[in-house]
Amino acid sequence: MTVPATTSALDRDQVARLVARDIPHGSFVNLGIGLPTKVSNHLEPGAGVVLHTENGMLGMGPEAHGDEVDPDLINAGKIPVTELPGAAYFHHADSFAMMRGGHLDICVLGAYQVSVRGDLANWHTGREGDIPAVGGAMDLALGAKQTFVMMDLFTRSGAPKLVPECTYPLTGLACVSRVYTDRAVFHLGDGEVRVRETFGTTLAELQESLPGIELVDETGEA
């Protein structure tokens, strides 16, 4: 296995900008803990996207800074955030009813692993001593109409996180339709892994670094 050695992979804000760009106008969206929280900073003011939070808010805005900080307004990563005009608050139970009831169009989650079928593992590595952190991820992954994942394509040791089969405890089965990474954007469905864009690498390098996965080229570069 060879991890692409080029250095022009996207940084995390660039990946978040890609996700923000792809969210359709009028969508209701939940951003999970970690990388996905950055998406709120890259939604254009006129994007018409309403951000939902597990702790009971519709209309979350970007991260708060300076005098904007209100310790009662935080995102999934406990980072202070702003509220947009028309923001509304509600009970935690109502928030989960929205998630489970199919009222969210998209959730954006981080992941330890995603399989070619769209299986998601994002709450526990299974290693002894690791702290499990499932939160509302299972409710979001299965309750939202679409699940997008944001993650680095490789671990620090170089192991791919897009895999033929997840080996970590699962969050949801066949729930992920898109995977945004620092090296490429992947579309999943019908058992195929389609590569939409690459960053600082080539399709051939990706193919070599993702053993057991047959990539379909949708970059239009051929």
Side-chain angles (χ1 to χ4, degrees), residues 114-157:
V114 176
S115 81
V116 295
R117 289 194 306 270
D119 299 338
L120 171 65
N122 82 339
W123 68 280
H124 201 310
T125 63
R127 291 190 294 263
E128 186 176 353
D130 282 1
I131 300 173
V134 66
M138 292 180 181
D139 307 87
L140 287 165
L142 299 183
K145 294 170 185 170
Q146 291 189 80
T147 297
F148 295 173
V149 160
M150 280 180 66
M151 64 181 189
D152 293 332
L153 186 54
F154 303 98
T155 67
R156 292 180 182 177
S157 63

Side-chain angles (χ1 to χ4, degrees), residues 4 13 20 26 49-50 53 63 70 80 86 92 105 126 135 139 143 158 202 216:
D13 277 297
V49 173
V50 179
T53 69
E63 292 177 11
D70 178 341
H92 200 207
D105 297 297
D139 307 87
T202 66
V216 178

Side-chain angles (χ1 to χ4, degrees), residues 12-216:
R12 294 180 170 186
D13 277 297
Q14 289 172 315
V15 178
R17 193 173 300 124
L18 277 180
V19 177
R21 184 192 67 185
D22 284 354
I23 296 175
H25 186 279
S27 297
F28 288 81
V29 179
N30 184 290
L31 304 177
I33 193 171
L35 289 181
T37 61
K38 287 183 171 292
V39 174
S40 68
N41 296 333
H42 297 285
L43 290 166
E44 297 295 332
V49 173
V50 179
L51 295 181
H52 162 277
T53 69
E54 283 181 33
N55 58 2
M57 181 181 182
L58 277 175
M60 183 182 77
E63 292 177 11
H65 299 281
D67 293 339
E68 296 176 328
V69 173
D70 178 341
D72 290 328
L73 288 181
I74 57 174
N75 63 20
K78 299 183 180 179
I79 298 170
V81 294
T82 55
E83 60 178 7
L84 299 181
Y89 300 90
F90 36 86
H91 192 277
H92 200 207
D94 294 325
S95 177
F96 271 71
M98 294 178 191
M99 294 154 58
R100 294 171 179 171
H103 302 289
L104 297 180
D105 297 297
I106 297 170
C107 67
V108 186
L109 301 174
Y112 292 127
Q113 291 177 328
V114 176
S115 81
V116 295
R117 289 194 306 270
D119 299 338
L120 171 65
N122 82 339
W123 68 280
H124 201 310
T125 63
R127 291 190 294 263
E128 186 176 353
D130 282 1
I131 300 173
V134 66
M138 292 180 181
D139 307 87
L140 287 165
L142 299 183
K145 294 170 185 170
Q146 291 189 80
T147 297
F148 295 173
V149 160
M150 280 180 66
M151 64 181 189
D152 293 332
L153 186 54
F154 303 98
T155 67
R156 292 180 182 177
S157 63
K161 298 169 74 174
L162 182 61
V163 293
E165 296 279 351
C166 293
T167 57
Y168 294 154
L170 292 178
T171 305
L173 292 170
C175 54
V176 178
S177 57
R178 295 187 191 183
V179 182
Y180 294 83
T181 77
D182 52 340
R183 293 292 182 177
V185 176
F186 303 91
H187 288 187
L188 307 184
D190 300 324
E192 291 187 330
V193 179
R194 302 183 298 279
V195 182
R196 190 184 82 182
E197 298 174 77
T198 61
F199 315 109
T201 186
T202 66
L203 190 70
E205 289 173 327
L206 276 181
Q207 185 64 81
E208 184 181 359
S209 63
L210 298 173
I213 299 176
E214 184 176 350
L215 301 177
V216 178

